[in-house]
Amino acid sequence: MTSTTGTAVETTVEIATGTGWVTICPYDRLTPGRGVAALIEGEQVAVFRTRAGELYALGNRDPFSGAYVMSRGIVGRRGEVPIVTSPMYQQAFDLRTGECLDEATTPDGTPAALPTWRVRARS
Ligand code: FES
């Protein structure tokens, strides 16, 4: 990407924390349709870039298995809903809300939703 002055402008991915925006990595480092794990204030966050170019950030911990694997999930769609499918037991989560579309609660009775973070691409 080039600005009007001819200087290369790098677009970075940022995540909102309680206090501001934290830079994750260059947008181009994210592979379309894949996720990466980032550590934000001690929490593992799974950051996804969809094939359409949208960004989403969700908790990296799969609530059903307790494993930190959501960033390795398969990104896709269920109808109009952009989803990530857990690599453990294949439950689908709405990338926009973190909500599990297959089961409302985990086996121990806790809500099966992933936390979400605001994420943006910034030049
Ligand atoms: S490539 Fe972006 S966090 Fe590793």
Side-chain angles (χ1 to χ4, degrees):
M1 195 188 302
T2 313
S3 76
T4 48
T5 58
T7 315
V9 174
E10 188 164 82
T11 301
T12 55
V13 176
E14 299 178 341
I15 286 184
T17 67
T19 51
W21 293 88
V22 172
T23 299
I24 302 300
C25 65
Y27 181 78
D28 290 345
R29 289 270 296 279
L30 300 182
T31 306
R34 302 288 294 272
V36 298
L39 196 60
I40 302 293
E41 295 181 337
E43 281 208 66
Q44 284 196 33
V45 180
V47 183
F48 298 95
R49 173 180 169 179
T50 67
R51 288 182 206 287
E54 302 140 333
L55 294 170
Y56 298 100
L58 308 165
N60 195 34
R61 182 181 178 276
D62 170 24
F64 292 95
S65 65
Y68 289 82
V69 294
M70 293 311 299
S71 66
R72 292 156 178 264
I74 307 289
V75 174
R77 300 192 80 84
R78 191 176 280 183
E80 289 303 298
V81 180
I83 61 165
V84 58
T85 303
S86 171
M88 296 302 286
Y89 306 125
Q90 270 78 54
Q91 287 94 349
F93 295 84
D94 186 331
L95 282 171
R96 304 164 305 179
T97 63
E99 211 176 302
C100 181
L101 301 177
D102 295 316
E103 295 170 63
T105 56
T106 63
D108 71 6
T110 54
L114 301 174
T116 60
W117 281 260
R118 285 197 295 151
V119 57
R120 69 183 181 189
R122 191 149 178 266
S123 300

